[in-house]
């Protein structure tokens, strides 16, 4: 506690700061935070790629890449084109597998990109899109039997989520379909799992990310959330 009297305390004055600030530095800072208004044709600002396997009406299977997926608890929400075969399948046959490829599998994903399971090809599909009844073979991928749903898993994908669509409906624009799928079983490559646990090791697993129609993997870890439950000894950190 300061017990000095205001009558005896020495007067301390701070130097007056005037217009001596570096105006060039201020200009640089303003330039760095300046934004411009843009109108991008897409808003894929970096989301994981998934391969969805679903069942066709004749009992065969469709495989389609998509990049509008996010998870909440044990639910995965998917955004699909309304005219695609996947949306049509899930409207009447809710079983599906959400397969997550690794970054090095981007070429297989791209081989699937111009293919559709719809015949004839919908007019809304991009130019160059063609009908392909056997997408697994066309992409160079192998089917692997699922445990709880009818569509097969993609054997090469390190993470595979067996799920059922519980809610399928249009988005507000009418151009897309929003699917809420409950995950019933998760399969993981043991190389990306912390041994002896049910935790995916984020230092060993990197999803394939679709960033404004370009493919990327993750960079080095920057840090972790306070909510992480992953054992850290496996990751070589204190």
């Amino acid at each position: 506690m300061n017990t000095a009297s205001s009558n005896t305390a020495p007067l301390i004055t701070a130097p007056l700061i005037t217009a001596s600030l570096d105006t060039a530095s201020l200009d640089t800072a303003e330039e760095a935070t300046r934004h411009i208004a843009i109108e991008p044709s897409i808003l894929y600002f970096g989301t994981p790629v998934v391969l969805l396997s679903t069942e066709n009406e004749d009992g065969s299977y469709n495989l389609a890449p998509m990049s509008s997926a996010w998870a909440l608890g044990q639910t995965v929400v998917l955004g699909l084109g309304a005219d695609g075969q996947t949306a049509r399948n899930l409207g009447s046959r809710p079983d599906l597998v959400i397969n997550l490829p690794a970054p090095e599998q981007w070429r297989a994903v791209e081989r699937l990109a111009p293919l559709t399971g719809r015949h004839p090809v919908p007019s809304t599909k991009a130019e160059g899109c063609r009908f392909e009844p056997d997408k697994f073979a066309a992409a160079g991928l192998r089917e692997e039997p699922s445990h709880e749903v009818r569509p097969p898993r993609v054997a090469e994908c390190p993470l595979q989520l067996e799920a059922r669509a519980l809610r399928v409906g249009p988005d507000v624009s009418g151009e897309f379909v929003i699917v809420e799928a409950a995950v019933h079983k998760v399969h993981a490559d043991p190389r990306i799992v912390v041994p002896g646990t049910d935790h995916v090791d984020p230092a060993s697993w990197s999803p394939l990310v679709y960033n404004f129609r370009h493919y990327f993997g993750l960079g080095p870890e920057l840090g972790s959330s306070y909510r992480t439950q992953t054992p850290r000894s496996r990751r070589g950190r204190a």
Side-chain angles (χ1 to χ4, degrees), residues 87-178:
R88 169 178 285 190
N89 285 346
L90 292 177
S92 54
R93 292 169 296 280
D95 284 7
L96 74 156
V97 182
I98 303 164
N99 304 275
L100 283 84
E104 60 268 20
Q105 294 167 327
W106 74 268
R107 289 182 177 83
V109 175
E110 186 60 19
R111 285 193 291 269
L112 284 169
L115 308 180
T116 178
R118 289 286 303 275
H119 183 72
V121 177
S123 60
T124 53
K125 289 290 186 180
E127 184 177 354
C129 185
R130 65 178 178 84
F131 170 68
E132 173 55 60
D134 189 354
K135 291 189 181 179
F136 276 88
L141 299 170
R142 295 178 293 114
E143 297 183 15
E144 184 173 21
S146 294
H147 293 191
E148 299 189 13
V149 298
R150 290 178 58 84
R153 296 174 282 150
V154 177
E156 291 82 358
C157 286
L159 272 177
Q160 310 152 341
L161 317 179
E162 296 186 30
R164 287 190 177 91
L166 300 183
R167 185 180 299 169
V168 180
D171 80 322
V172 294
S173 73
E175 298 180 18
F176 302 98
V177 169
I178 304 298

Side-chain angles (χ1 to χ4, degrees), residues 40-47 49 67 106 110 113 126 176 209-216:
S41 60
I42 55 170
L43 292 176
Y44 288 129
F45 43 77
T47 50
V49 174
S67 58
W106 74 268
E110 186 60 19
F176 302 98
V209 173
Y210 196 55
N211 184 8
F212 285 95
R213 291 180 175 157
H214 293 255
Y215 298 104
F216 291 86

